[in-house]
């Protein structure tokens, strides 16, 4: 084992570094394997210096370690920051890519929408509205060839002279009718229809819808070119065009739309019936002439006479004789030559049956039409008769009876006997309001207190205006009467008269109004709600009446308008010197407050009863739901295995009741 012995430094002026001697060091031993054994022989200045130096080295090492650790931490933090920045950059790039993709997708969607819009615009065509004038005018055009075919095809088939003498004209007219029929089919493919309240303009939809209808099949059959058979059968058989009669529904549609458009529907219905009668008689006449031709002209007294006779050889006489016979037979009002052969008997019997059925229907329709035409007059006459009977029973004076009858005559002659509310009750509220606004709004705006009111309030009031007609000498109101309504003059003249009823102070004419202050019941008014003048009708006067109850009912929904109207009424009373300011400044009337409190208590009572009823219903439904849930739980719950020592629980009374019910 080596021993380390510190040497004493030479006493020289300069300090030498310490030296360590290795004594008794064996061969093969390295300095690192030697355990130093420092023997402090004496405490000199060299030994102290060595200790301080070693402490300084340790401190430096620790500082260096700390510094290295800090550097490592800083490097780690830098790396982490770099990683975080890289991630953020990647995320930002990803977001930018996604945004770009979204923008591209949006652009694609926009392009697709534009393409679809263009395609739809290309698909959409100019469509004819079935409720418009263009459609109605086209129905009139298509009705002309339909009527032509229904009347002249059978006539040309039965009367040969009619076909042969005007053959070229018939060909031209037939060609024009066929072109109109083809145009009608094209027109049908351009006729729109409503889908979800909107007019469909898609060409494909319109075409498909028309092709699915039964009318399309009839139209196709009517367009079969049967005129080719002229080349086979000859030009004397116009009955090959009978397929053109299948367009008769267009004629019927035209008549229906004309009936809804005209102001004289009853006259149109009667004219249509006359037309149907003439067509039936015309067809029967043509069939009679053809039947006579088949049996032989002049063979007996039933058939048409021999046309070789100049008197019966003309075309006009042939048609007139056949029409006369057909009219007598179908109407059964005249005598016709009796049939001779069996076929003639069958023909006449068939004619009689057809005539009875058809004309019974026609006469019934004519009777109902005439009844409808006179329904208003009959109802009005029934009212007059009832009042006449009442006046005679109560022994009313003749003068008053004459005045009542004159009043009724004035109503009927001036077409004012119709009850507006009764007539308009079948319309929806919006249309009824629009009609009332169109008729009465300008009149209502003339009233000063309603000039600046809300539009909604004016609409409400317009619907509540009631027309009234007064005869000459009638008092509209008298001085001291309680004012429960206001009046607006529509027609006629009224006079403000003295108590004697003769002296006239002012004459009120069309557009004037009175009684608006009394229905507002303004506090402090010296007149109160009493009338302050006598107003009498000079001639027949037509007035609009607005009652106080209707006004207050409308004002409940418009409190601001109510305050505005009351303020305007106060200003008018102040101008006329009819407002007591002390009474008006006292505040609300205690009676009005009591009435409001009573109304509130009654409303509260009704609400409480309704709430109690709803609560009871709620509890009942809750109990029912609980019972159902418990039953379902018992049905769905798996059976539990009972322990050998456990006894089942005693049944509850509710359970026993349920079992009894089951």
């Amino acid at each position: 084992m080596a021993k380390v012995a510190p040497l004493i430094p030479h006493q020289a002026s300069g300090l030498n570094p310490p030296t360590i001697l290795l004594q008794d060091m064996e061969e093969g031993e390295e300095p690192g394997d030697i355990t130093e054994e420092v023997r402090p022989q004496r405490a000199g200045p060299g030994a102290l210096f060595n200790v301080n130096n070693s402490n300084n080295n340790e401190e430096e090492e620790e500082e260096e370690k700390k510094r290295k650790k800090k550097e490592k931490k800083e490097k780690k933090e830098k790396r982490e920051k770099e990683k975080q920045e890289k991630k953020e950059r990647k995320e930002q790039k990803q977001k930018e890519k996604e945004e770009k993709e979204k923008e591209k997708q949006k652009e694609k969607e926009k392009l697709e929408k534009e393409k679809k819009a263009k395609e739809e615009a290309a698909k959409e065509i100019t469509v004819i509205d079935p409720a418009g004038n263009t459609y109605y005018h086209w129905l009139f055009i298509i009705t002309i060839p339909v009527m032509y075919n229904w009347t002249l095809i059978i006539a040309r088939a039965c009367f040969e002279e009619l076909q042969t003498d005007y053959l070229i004209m018939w060909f031209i007219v037939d060609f024009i009718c066929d072109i109109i029929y083809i145009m009608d089919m094209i027109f049908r493919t351009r006729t729109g229809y409503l889908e979800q309240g909107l007019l469909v303009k898609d060409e494909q939809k319109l075409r498909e819808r028309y092709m699915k209808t039964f009318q399309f099949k009839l139209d196709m059959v009517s367009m079969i070119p049967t005129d080719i058979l002229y080349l086979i059968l000859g030009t004397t058989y116009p009955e090959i065009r009978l397929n053109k009669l299948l367009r008769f529904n267009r004629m019927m549609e035209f008549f229906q739309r004309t009936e809804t458009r005209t102001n004289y529907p009853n006259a149109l219905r009667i004219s249509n019936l006359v037309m149907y009668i003439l067509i039936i008689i015309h067809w029967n006449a043509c069939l009679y002439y053809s039947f006579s031709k088949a049996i032989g002209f002049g063979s007996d007294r039933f058939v048409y006479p021999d046309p070789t006779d100049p008197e019966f050889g003309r075309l006009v006489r042939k048609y007139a004789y056949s029409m006369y016979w057909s009219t007598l037979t179908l109407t059964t009002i005249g005598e016709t030559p009796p049939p001779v052969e069996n076929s003639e008997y069958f023909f006449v019997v068939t004619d009689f049956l057809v005539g009875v059925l058809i004309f019974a229907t026609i006469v019934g329709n004519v009777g109902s039409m005439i009844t409808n035409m006179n329904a208003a007059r009959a109802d009005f006459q029934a009212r007059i008769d009832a009042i006449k009977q009442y006046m005679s029973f109560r022994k009313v004076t003749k003068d008053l009876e004459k005045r009542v009858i004159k009043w009724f005559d004035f109503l009927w002659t001036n077409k004012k006997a119709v009850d507006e509310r009764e007539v308009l009750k079948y319309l929806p509220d919006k249309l009824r309001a629009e009609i009332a606004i169109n008729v009465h709004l300008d009149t209502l705006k003339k009233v000063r207190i309603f000039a600046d009111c809300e539009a909604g309030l004016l609409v409400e009031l317009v619907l509540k205006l009631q027309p009234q007609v007064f005869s000459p000498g009638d008092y509209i109101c008298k001085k001291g009467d309680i004012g429960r309504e206001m009046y607006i003059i529509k027609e006629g003249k009224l006079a403000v008269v003295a108590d004697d009823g003769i002296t006239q102070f002012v004459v009120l004419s069309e557009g004037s109004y009175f009684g608006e202050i009394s229905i507002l019941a303004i506090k402090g008014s010296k007149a109160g709600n009493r009338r302050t003048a006598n107003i009498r009708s000079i001639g027949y006067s037509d007035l609009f009446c607005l009652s106080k109850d209707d006004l207050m009912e409308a004002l409940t929904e418009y409190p601001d308008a109510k305050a505005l109207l009351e303020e305007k009424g106060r200003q008018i009373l102040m101008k006329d010197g009819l407002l007591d300011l002390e009474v008006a400044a006292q505040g609300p009337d205690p009676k009005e407050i009591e009435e409001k409190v009573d109304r509130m208590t009654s409303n509260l009572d009704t609400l409480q009863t309704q709430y109690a009823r709803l609560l009871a219903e709620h509890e009942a439904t809750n109990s029912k739901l609980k019972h159902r849930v418990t039953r379902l739980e018992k049905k769905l719950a798996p059976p539990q295995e009972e322990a050998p020592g456990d006894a089942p629980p005693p049944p509850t009374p509710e359970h026993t009741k349920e079992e009894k019910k089951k």
Side-chain angles (χ1 to χ4, degrees):
M1 186 141 179
K3 294 181 183 179
V4 180
L7 297 176
I8 299 169
H10 299 280
Q11 293 179 357
S13 59
L15 294 173
N16 293 322
T19 58
I20 298 171
L21 294 177
L22 299 176
Q23 295 178 356
D24 300 332
M25 183 175 178
E26 296 178 357
E27 291 180 1
E29 288 182 356
E30 293 180 358
D33 296 334
I34 300 170
T35 59
E36 294 182 355
E37 189 176 329
V38 180
R39 296 180 181 177
Q41 293 178 358
R42 58 180 182 177
L48 292 172
F49 177 78
N50 289 334
V51 172
N52 292 330
N53 194 9
S54 62
N55 291 332
N56 291 330
N57 290 333
E58 289 174 358
E59 289 176 358
E60 288 176 358
E61 288 176 357
E62 288 177 0
E63 288 176 358
E64 193 171 350
K65 287 178 181 179
K66 288 179 181 179
R67 184 172 54 78
K68 287 179 180 178
K69 286 180 180 180
K70 285 181 181 180
E71 289 176 355
K72 287 180 181 179
K73 285 181 181 179
E74 289 174 356
K75 287 179 181 179
K76 285 181 181 179
E77 289 175 356
K78 285 181 181 179
R79 288 173 186 171
E80 289 176 357
K81 285 181 181 178
E82 289 175 356
K83 288 180 181 179
Q84 191 70 21
E85 288 176 357
K86 287 180 181 178
K87 286 181 181 179
E88 289 177 355
R89 288 173 187 170
K90 286 181 181 179
E91 289 176 357
Q92 192 172 358
K93 287 180 181 178
Q94 192 70 20
K95 286 180 181 178
E96 289 176 356
K97 287 181 181 179
E98 290 176 356
E99 287 177 357
K100 287 180 181 179
E101 288 177 357
K102 286 180 181 179
E103 288 177 357
K104 288 179 181 178
Q105 195 169 359
K106 286 180 181 179
E107 289 177 357
K108 287 180 181 179
E109 289 177 356
K110 284 182 181 178
L111 292 172
E112 288 177 358
K113 286 180 180 178
E114 288 177 357
K115 286 181 181 179
K116 286 181 180 179
K118 287 179 181 178
E119 289 175 358
E120 289 177 357
K123 287 180 181 179
E124 289 184 357
I125 55 173
T126 54
V127 174
I128 294 94
D129 186 3
N133 291 327
T134 305
Y135 187 80
Y136 176 73
H137 294 152
W138 175 254
L139 286 178
F140 173 72
I141 293 171
I142 191 64
T143 299
I144 295 171
V146 173
M147 285 289 295
Y148 161 78
N149 288 322
W150 268 88
T151 53
L152 287 174
I153 286 177
I154 187 69
R156 288 160 53 192
C158 296
F159 298 96
E160 292 180 357
E161 297 93 333
L162 187 65
Q163 172 69 8
T164 55
D165 293 349
Y166 308 99
L167 186 63
I168 297 173
M169 184 185 74
W170 298 135
F171 283 167
I172 294 171
V173 176
D174 289 346
F175 179 72
I176 294 171
C177 290
D178 291 345
I179 290 174
I180 295 174
Y181 274 22
I182 294 170
M183 291 173 66
D184 182 56
M185 293 184 71
I186 299 169
F187 190 87
R188 280 180 181 270
T189 60
R190 296 293 188 272
T191 303
Y193 65 94
L194 295 179
E195 189 177 79
Q196 296 181 358
L198 299 174
L199 195 67
V200 176
K201 296 183 179 180
D202 191 349
E203 183 180 4
Q204 187 175 359
K205 284 185 178 180
L206 295 175
R207 192 186 301 114
E208 289 176 355
R209 186 172 183 270
Y210 171 55
M211 293 175 70
K212 288 178 182 177
T213 58
F214 179 70
Q215 185 58 42
F216 173 72
K217 297 175 183 177
L218 294 178
D219 293 346
M220 290 299 294
V221 173
S222 67
M223 290 311 299
I224 294 173
T226 54
D227 294 352
I228 298 172
L229 296 175
Y230 279 136
L231 302 174
I232 301 171
L233 302 175
T235 58
T236 57
Y237 294 94
E239 57 266 24
I240 61 177
R241 289 180 55 83
L242 286 174
N243 61 327
K244 309 298 178 184
L245 304 181
L246 296 176
R247 295 288 182 97
F248 69 94
N249 69 322
R250 298 296 267 177
M251 181 177 65
M252 302 293 291
E253 187 179 359
F254 171 72
F255 291 146
Q256 289 174 1
R257 290 185 178 269
T258 306
E259 185 177 341
T260 57
R261 283 171 173 250
T262 184
N263 292 325
Y264 306 98
N266 291 317
L268 180 67
R269 290 173 194 141
I270 292 173
S271 62
N272 282 344
L273 275 176
V274 172
M275 183 194 69
Y276 296 148
I277 291 169
L278 291 175
I279 289 175
I280 293 168
I281 293 172
H282 167 76
W283 271 69
N284 194 47
C286 295
L287 292 176
Y288 167 74
Y289 185 83
S290 181
F291 183 75
S292 299
K293 181 181 177 183
I295 292 176
F297 293 118
S299 59
D300 54 44
R301 57 184 178 177
F302 175 78
V303 298
Y304 184 79
D306 190 0
T308 56
D309 187 355
E311 185 180 355
F312 298 99
R314 288 177 296 144
L315 178 63
V316 177
R317 173 54 67 89
K318 292 178 182 179
Y319 182 73
Y321 185 92
S322 300
M323 282 288 289
Y324 173 74
W325 183 93
S326 176
T327 305
L328 293 179
T329 305
L330 290 178
T331 56
T332 64
I333 57 175
E335 293 183 1
T336 56
V340 177
E341 297 184 7
N342 293 331
S343 58
E344 294 173 355
Y345 278 105
F346 286 119
F347 182 78
V348 172
V349 169
T350 305
D351 253 12
F352 281 155
L353 290 175
V354 171
V356 167
L357 293 174
I358 291 173
F359 275 86
T361 306
I362 290 171
V363 169
N365 288 331
V366 170
S368 63
M369 288 176 191
I370 294 171
T371 304
N372 291 332
M373 289 174 68
N374 297 325
R377 178 65 187 175
D379 183 43
F380 186 74
Q381 192 64 42
R383 282 188 278 170
I384 295 175
D385 294 340
I387 290 172
K388 283 181 180 179
Q389 290 176 3
Y390 175 79
M391 288 189 295
S392 63
F393 177 72
R394 294 297 179 184
K395 297 179 181 180
V396 178
T397 60
K398 293 293 182 181
D399 185 25
L400 184 57
E401 188 175 348
K402 286 180 181 178
R403 285 176 58 195
V404 170
I405 293 170
K406 282 183 179 179
W407 182 79
F408 271 108
D409 289 339
F410 173 78
L411 290 182
W412 181 256
T413 54
N414 290 275
K415 297 180 180 180
K416 295 180 180 180
V418 180
D419 187 1
E420 292 186 3
R421 292 191 175 185
E422 189 68 21
V423 172
L424 300 176
K425 71 178 183 180
Y426 300 106
L427 292 176
D429 294 338
K430 294 293 183 183
L431 283 178
R432 190 162 64 247
E434 286 184 15
I435 291 174
I437 288 167
N438 194 7
V439 175
H440 305 315
L441 187 60
D442 293 335
T443 305
L444 189 64
K445 282 184 176 179
K446 293 177 182 178
V447 183
R448 282 182 296 172
I449 59 173
F450 299 134
D452 300 325
C453 286
E454 298 179 33
L457 177 62
L458 291 177
V459 171
E460 290 282 338
L461 295 178
V462 158
L463 291 171
K464 297 180 185 299
L465 287 177
Q466 295 180 1
Q468 292 185 1
V469 178
F470 293 91
S471 55
D474 288 346
Y475 277 96
I476 288 84
C477 63
K478 288 187 177 182
K479 191 174 182 180
D481 291 346
I482 297 173
R484 295 188 179 90
E485 56 273 319
M486 68 165 293
Y487 296 94
I488 305 169
I489 302 173
K490 183 183 178 184
E491 290 179 357
K493 290 185 178 182
L494 305 179
V496 181
V497 297
D499 293 336
D500 58 2
I502 299 171
T503 307
Q504 296 182 1
F505 299 118
V506 180
V507 176
L508 304 176
S509 58
E510 181 181 353
S512 301
Y513 54 90
F514 55 92
E516 71 277 12
I517 303 298
S518 60
I519 64 173
L520 289 174
I522 297 171
K523 189 177 179 182
S525 175
K526 294 179 180 179
N529 60 348
R530 301 279 179 174
R531 301 293 188 188
T532 58
N534 300 315
I535 299 178
R536 194 175 186 181
S537 177
I538 299 174
Y540 285 100
S541 303
D542 192 2
L543 310 180
F544 286 123
C545 174
L546 178 63
S547 66
K548 180 179 180 179
D549 295 335
D550 290 339
L551 177 62
M552 292 304 167
E553 184 183 351
L555 288 175
T556 52
E557 303 294 334
Y558 299 93
D560 296 336
K562 183 178 180 181
L564 181 64
L565 289 175
E566 289 177 351
E567 183 61 30
K568 285 184 178 181
R570 287 191 196 93
Q571 291 175 4
I572 293 169
L573 289 173
M574 287 176 67
K575 285 181 182 178
D576 298 337
L578 297 175
L579 183 65
D580 192 348
L581 297 176
E582 293 180 359
V583 178
Q586 287 178 0
D589 192 0
K591 290 183 179 180
E592 293 181 359
I593 296 172
E594 287 179 3
E595 289 177 358
K596 288 181 181 179
V597 170
D598 292 337
R599 272 190 235 133
M600 290 175 68
T601 52
S602 63
N603 292 333
L604 186 62
D605 291 337
T606 54
L607 287 172
Q608 283 179 349
T609 54
Q610 290 176 359
Y611 175 72
R613 194 179 300 155
L614 289 172
L615 190 62
E617 290 177 358
H618 178 67
E619 289 177 353
T621 51
N622 272 341
S623 63
K624 288 178 182 178
L625 286 172
K626 284 179 182 178
H627 285 302
R628 288 179 183 175
V629 169
T630 52
R631 285 178 191 169
L632 288 171
E633 286 177 350
K634 287 177 182 178
K635 287 180 181 178
L636 297 174
Q640 295 180 356
E641 295 182 358
E642 295 180 356
D646 294 339
T652 59
E654 293 179 356
H655 186 66
T656 54
K657 286 180 182 178
E658 290 177 358
E659 287 181 350
K660 286 179 181 178
K661 287 180 182 177
K662 289 178 180 179

